[in-house]
Amino acid sequence: MSWSLRHALVTGISGQDGALLAAHLLARGVAVTGTQRPGRTLDDWRLRELCIADDSRLRIVALDPTDGGACAELIGAGAFDAVFHLAGQSRVAESFRDPLGSLAANGRSTVHLLEALRLHAPQTRLVLAASAEIFGAPAQAPQDEGTPLAARSPYGVSKLLAHASVAAWRASYGLHASSAILFNHESSLRDEAFVTRKITLGVARIARGLESGIVLGNLDAKRDFGYASDFVAAMAAMAQRESADDYVLATGHAASIREFAGAAFAAVGCALDWRGRGVEEVGVDRASGVIRVRIDGSLLRPFDAPLLVGNAAKARAALGFTPSLDLAALARTMVEADLARLDAGSA
Ligand code: NDP
């Protein structure tokens, strides 16, 4: 694939995907303008870990994507070849606490950006970070681009609005706007609020004798855990396709939270046995008999899709998308990064 981008706008530069995508683009000679929320100090630890914080081709600007005027001003003046809309309220659990805020951050922001592109930069391409949560509790597995959309969480509804808007603006105005239907993707840069990173940091702290156990919510939810670096590369490829389209990005393999925890503990040589049921379930260190995982019922969500697993055949064929890490390797990568941070005193 020839590399046609010269300047990209990445909303949500401070997040896992924003930082990884910026690094991916910069490494290919693409200048990046990244956005952060106005009035906040940029939390640039991910940019520093990726060694791009001081790259002269990376510019940071303030943008509230729920402000239509600000979106229009930035897009109109920016001369971007592509906009990657990654900023948003990314936590399903938080969306139950603040549904309207999530709808604005994820849904309304996308419409503002689409309108800004339509009016001021119709040649600029857009890639949206949508989510598998738009499928709700699908009867069909694996899910693909044709699976009925039936979001159940406020987060899913907000992403559904964004996803549907991309398709509508593409069809109605001919914009090169694409939606990435993202299944879970993790890395050592994942926020600690997400269960995978909570687990890997907890495992690292236990391995270093700083904690004795971790407390989790629903262990039964099955998710399709991919490696975030693969996902941002695919989003970059989406912007370079001749035609815009929507793509499921997923590994095709589902694992429960229990299995992810088992893989993370295995990375430090600890085999867990699971005993009990429901909120009484515990994960016990087979060698020492110490309880390493407990359940806190207050962490259970009003709705948690039992199984989300994607079929990325379309992305594989069109984008060359190939998942590079299996569950064990992904968990090990994350645990090793957390151990290194603890040993360096930076976690
Ligand atoms: P992160 O939570 O790591 O990053 C989110 C980014 O959005 C941060 O830069 C954050 O800025 C910004 N942000 C948060 N809240 C708001 C808000 N209310 N208004 C504007 N900006 C906000 O998420 P990821 O990088 O993992 O995800 C990127 C995108 O992909 C998100 O839209 C997410 O919903 C979506 N996605 C991710 C999946 C995953 O598994 N990672 C799966 C499916 C979808 P700040 O630093 O100021 O908080």
Side-chain angles (χ1 to χ4, degrees), residues 131-178:
S131 163
E133 291 282 330
I134 63 177
F135 298 127
Q140 162 198 336
Q143 297 88 45
D144 61 25
E145 295 80 3
T147 301
L149 306 179
R152 291 237 187 129
S153 65
Y155 172 84
V157 171
S158 72
K159 288 292 186 184
L160 181 49
L161 170 59
H163 174 76
S165 301
V166 163
W169 264 250
R170 182 171 68 221
S172 298
Y173 304 115
L175 287 185
H176 193 296
S178 304

Side-chain angles (χ1 to χ4, degrees), residues 12 14-17 37 86-88 90 129-130 155 159 182 185 190:
S14 62
Q16 168 188 261
D17 290 6
R37 289 190 267 181
L86 312 182
S90 58
Y155 172 84
K159 288 292 186 184
L182 303 170
H185 49 282
R190 191 64 146 143

Side-chain angles (χ1 to χ4, degrees), residues 25-274:
L25 293 171
L26 288 166
R28 285 155 184 80
V30 183
V32 174
T33 296
T35 74
Q36 64 164 330
R37 289 190 267 181
R40 292 176 171 242
T41 308
L42 177 68
D43 185 359
D44 69 349
W45 70 271
R46 294 182 177 91
L47 303 178
R48 282 187 277 107
E49 281 210 4
L50 291 167
C51 301
I52 58 171
D54 299 321
D55 192 311
S56 59
R57 297 162 306 157
L58 174 63
R59 185 172 69 108
I60 308 290
V61 299
L63 175 71
D64 172 3
T66 66
D67 177 343
C71 289
E73 197 177 325
L74 180 60
I75 299 275
F80 304 113
D81 299 306
V83 174
F84 295 90
H85 185 32
L86 312 182
Q89 199 297 98
S90 58
R91 300 170 196 175
V92 177
E94 171 61 21
S95 77
F96 287 102
R97 288 186 281 273
D98 182 14
L100 290 172
S102 305
L103 202 57
N106 299 344
R108 207 171 72 186
S109 67
T110 303
V111 177
H112 280 316
L113 288 171
L114 287 165
E115 274 295 88
L117 290 169
R118 178 176 77 83
L119 293 168
H120 304 290
Q123 302 309 318
T124 299
R125 299 176 170 197
L126 176 97
V127 177
L128 167 74
S131 163
E133 291 282 330
I134 63 177
F135 298 127
Q140 162 198 336
Q143 297 88 45
D144 61 25
E145 295 80 3
T147 301
L149 306 179
R152 291 237 187 129
S153 65
Y155 172 84
V157 171
S158 72
K159 288 292 186 184
L160 181 49
L161 170 59
H163 174 76
S165 301
V166 163
W169 264 250
R170 182 171 68 221
S172 298
Y173 304 115
L175 287 185
H176 193 296
S178 304
S179 179
I181 305 170
L182 303 170
F183 285 65
N184 284 59
H185 49 282
E186 320 295 323
S187 74
S188 60
L189 302 180
R190 191 64 146 143
D191 193 277
E192 290 167 33
F194 291 91
V195 66
T196 50
R197 180 78 200 296
K198 179 178 178 179
I199 290 170
T200 63
L201 183 55
V203 166
R205 291 179 63 81
I206 291 166
R208 291 294 182 259
L210 300 169
E211 264 174 36
S212 65
I214 53 178
V215 179
L216 301 176
N218 181 8
L219 294 178
D220 291 320
K222 288 193 157 188
R223 293 291 180 271
D224 183 325
F225 294 109
Y227 183 41
S229 297
D230 300 334
F231 284 55
V232 300
M235 285 193 267
M238 284 170 65
Q240 308 217 71
R241 295 282 297 168
E242 192 173 329
S243 308
D245 209 341
D246 302 331
Y247 296 93
V248 159
L249 299 181
T251 70
H253 300 284
S256 65
I257 305 301
R258 185 184 295 101
E259 287 170 287
F260 187 91
F265 276 97
V268 293
C270 170
L272 286 186
D273 289 326
W274 299 95

